[in-house]
Amino acid sequence: MIIMLLPVMSWMWISSAAIIYFFIPDVTFVETLLIASCITPTDPILANSVVQGSFAEKHIPPNVRHLLSAESGVNDGMGFPFLFFALFLLESPKITATAVFQWFSFVWGYHILLSIAIGIMIGWAARKLLGLAESREWIDKESFLVFAFALAIFVVGGVSIIGSDALLACFFAGTSFSWDDWFRDETHDAHLQDVIDLLLNLTIFMYIGMILPWSSFNSDDISLKSLIIISVLILIFRRLPIVVLFKGFIPAFHTFKEAAFAGYFGPIGIGAIFLAMTVEKEIGLRLGGELTDIDEESMLHVQKITFPIVTFVVLSSVIVHGITVPILNIGSRIDMERFPSIASISSQVARLPVIDFVESLTLERDNKGRVRKKEKMKAEFAPKSSEELYQDVHNSVMEEEQSEGNGVYTHNHIETDVLIDSSGDEQSNQDNVNSVDYHWLQSSECSSNAQCVRRP
């Protein structure tokens, strides 16, 4: 996280500013630093829409998904130091001790550290109080399920009142609240959080589409051609090179492919629009204040072009990342045409109930055709994903095809369907085993060698 927040974000900030500086006329590099600070952070909402869900769980490894989720949540609030640093430079080209003190105290202290502390304390207190209420049955099921949503509204509203970073406080409140996974496990089967998350994501996408300033994308200050070039270069060079370069310093990336995916996947969304609105607000406050030595013309110019540039880059990121990320998934590929029947089997097996702590009995047929018990082992059946179930069946079929002999299974054959209760006595277990009727099949659906088919 230190690598992703310090050198990676610094490169994202400076490289974006350099690209804007070369393609937007009549701007200074300090002005482009202010604009680039808005598009530096990775947006947590757009990142969440891709790194969570069934598609992401199937195609993106957990180590990559977890790192991207955490990084997008933290660095969204870390955009404020870059923004105010550029704003202080725009106010006064000379870096004074007062400006440095104000930057550290107001931005890092009040905006960053205070919001983190508030979020952690509120999340920890909420987790303890909710656990106490649940243990004593003081809360009903409906209130329990929507507690996280109400907690988010409380944190955002409370921290916004004092003027600190509400987004960062909300992220750390959620992290502290779910630190022991208790609430997530309790609400896993309810899917209410997923529904709320989907509704909010759709609302945000609708909001972004409604506020796009289409008429400002081709004006006297900026052209549509320049915006397209800027967006393409930013999406390519803003994040990908630096993440790949620091791959060896980030243990979460196990392969070059994972690092390249994480470097490419840095969506820009509602957080950038929020920072662009903050730029307009802060410039308005300074223009209407008592400062007399500021360059009003430069301030008005950057205030005019910030929002169109940022929103066009956001539009490009939504389109490009939304289309290409499913294509560039880094999960394992399965040849579905070779084994279509097995794929259908796995989808059916995935719907079966989970059986815990049972004893499985493995049988095989010897050279004389007699069925005998091979081994008896303890087994704990845990829930498996559809991909794991498919792989298990696939491996078993491949091993059976390679086996030789009339109906003799290999050492890693498919387990019998008979499940023996470990709490039962030995005699009843033996009766259960003897009640299984085994017989031979030789048909066109089988392989050349006869196979033993288990049918209780």
Side-chain angles (χ1 to χ4, degrees):
M1 289 299 296
I2 293 176
I3 297 296
M4 298 297 291
L5 294 178
L6 295 180
V8 171
M9 283 197 69
S10 299
W11 167 265
M12 293 164 65
W13 179 41
I14 297 174
S15 62
S16 300
I19 293 172
I20 297 173
Y21 177 75
F22 281 109
F23 291 96
I24 297 296
D26 302 328
V27 292
T28 64
F29 190 71
V30 175
E31 293 175 359
T32 59
L33 284 176
L34 183 61
I35 300 173
S37 65
C38 301
I39 58 179
T40 295
T42 302
D43 188 69
I45 296 177
L46 297 185
N48 179 70
S49 64
V50 176
V51 299
Q52 289 190 5
S54 58
F55 179 86
E57 292 176 357
K58 182 179 181 181
H59 295 284
I60 304 177
N63 52 302
V64 178
R65 288 190 285 110
H66 296 163
L67 178 64
L68 291 177
S69 296
E71 183 231 351
S72 62
V74 176
N75 74 4
D76 193 68
M78 293 292 291
F80 276 99
F82 298 103
L83 188 152
F84 281 96
F85 183 79
L87 193 60
F88 291 153
L89 288 179
L90 195 61
E91 284 180 354
S92 177
K94 296 181 179 180
I95 301 178
T96 62
T98 304
V100 173
F101 175 77
Q102 185 179 7
W103 185 64
F104 275 105
S105 61
F106 177 72
V107 179
W108 284 100
Y110 195 77
H111 261 279
I112 304 299
L113 298 180
L114 179 61
S115 63
I116 291 175
I118 293 176
I120 291 176
M121 289 188 296
I122 292 179
W124 178 85
R127 172 160 52 89
K128 296 296 183 180
L129 291 175
L130 183 63
L132 177 65
E134 174 67 14
S135 63
R136 301 193 179 187
E137 298 182 354
W138 290 348
I139 184 171
D140 55 15
K141 182 179 180 181
E142 291 78 9
S143 300
F144 183 84
L145 293 176
V146 300
F147 186 84
F149 181 67
L151 178 64
I153 296 177
F154 172 75
V155 173
V156 172
V159 177
S160 298
I161 290 175
I162 65 175
S164 190
D165 191 347
L167 298 177
L168 197 60
C170 193
F171 173 80
F172 277 94
T175 303
S176 178
F177 178 70
S178 61
W179 188 257
D180 57 358
D181 283 338
W182 170 72
F183 182 80
R184 184 180 62 84
D185 293 337
E186 290 291 329
T187 59
H188 182 266
D189 296 331
H191 301 294
L192 179 64
Q193 302 299 326
D194 299 332
V195 174
I196 295 177
D197 186 50
L198 177 62
L199 290 176
L200 293 178
N201 281 340
L202 295 177
T203 304
I204 291 299
F205 280 110
M206 180 68 71
Y207 174 75
I208 292 176
M210 292 172 61
I211 64 173
L212 291 176
W214 297 101
S215 59
S216 301
F217 290 157
N218 195 9
S219 60
D220 296 334
D221 300 303
I222 52 179
S223 64
L224 182 61
K225 179 181 178 180
S226 299
L227 290 177
I228 294 175
I229 297 174
I230 289 172
S231 300
V232 172
L233 294 178
I234 284 178
L235 294 179
I236 296 175
F237 296 104
R238 162 180 167 266
R239 180 182 171 92
L240 179 59
I242 191 67
V243 173
V244 173
L245 180 65
F246 280 95
K247 170 192 172 294
F249 300 94
I250 305 176
F253 299 145
H254 302 158
T255 63
F256 175 82
K257 195 175 183 181
E258 293 180 356
F261 178 85
Y264 169 79
F265 181 66
I268 308 167
I270 192 64
I273 295 178
F274 170 75
L275 293 176
M277 293 179 175
T278 303
V279 169
E280 292 186 339
K281 175 184 175 182
E282 294 294 333
I283 291 178
L285 292 176
R286 282 158 174 74
L287 291 176
E290 299 178 355
L291 298 177
T292 58
D293 57 343
I294 63 174
D295 189 350
E296 293 188 3
E297 183 178 354
S298 177
M299 286 278 193
L300 289 173
H301 182 251
V302 73
Q303 186 184 36
K304 182 179 180 181
I305 65 176
T306 297
F307 194 75
I309 294 176
V310 171
T311 51
F312 192 88
V313 175
V314 170
L315 173 64
S316 304
S317 176
V318 170
I319 294 175
V320 172
H321 288 116
I323 293 176
T324 58
V325 166
I327 301 175
L328 298 175
N329 68 79
I330 59 179
S332 59
R333 303 277 186 162
I334 299 176
D335 188 0
M336 301 301 292
E337 297 180 356
R338 185 177 180 184
F339 301 105
S341 59
I342 302 177
S344 61
I345 291 174
S346 66
S347 63
Q348 297 296 328
V349 174
R351 302 190 185 122
L352 295 178
V354 178
I355 304 176
D356 295 323
F357 298 102
V358 297
E359 191 174 37
S360 65
L361 186 64
T362 305
L363 304 177
E364 73 171 3
R365 187 177 297 275
D366 58 17
N367 294 331
K368 297 182 179 180
R370 293 173 298 185
V371 177
R372 62 183 180 85
K373 181 170 64 175
K374 182 179 180 182
E375 59 181 349
K376 185 167 63 175
M377 64 186 74
K378 279 285 185 180
E380 180 179 354
F381 288 77
K384 288 188 175 183
S385 64
S386 59
E387 182 180 359
E388 291 174 337
L389 291 168
Y390 177 88
Q391 194 62 36
D392 291 343
V393 179
H394 169 69
N395 293 337
S396 300
V397 172
M398 291 297 295
E399 289 171 354
E400 287 184 24
E401 289 181 352
Q402 297 172 1
S403 64
E404 296 181 357
N406 295 327
V408 180
Y409 277 88
T410 60
H411 67 281
N412 192 19
H413 55 275
I414 302 176
E415 290 185 352
T416 178
D417 297 326
V418 182
L419 299 177
I420 308 302
D421 188 359
S422 59
S423 61
D425 59 319
E426 186 66 21
Q427 184 61 37
S428 61
N429 287 344
Q430 187 62 36
D431 292 340
N432 262 334
V433 175
N434 294 334
S435 65
V436 181
D437 179 23
Y438 281 76
H439 47 105
W440 295 85
L441 281 185
Q442 180 69 44
S443 65
S444 59
E445 297 180 358
C446 300
S447 60
S448 57
N449 296 325
Q451 297 186 12
C452 177
V453 178
R454 296 163 299 280
R455 291 187 177 180

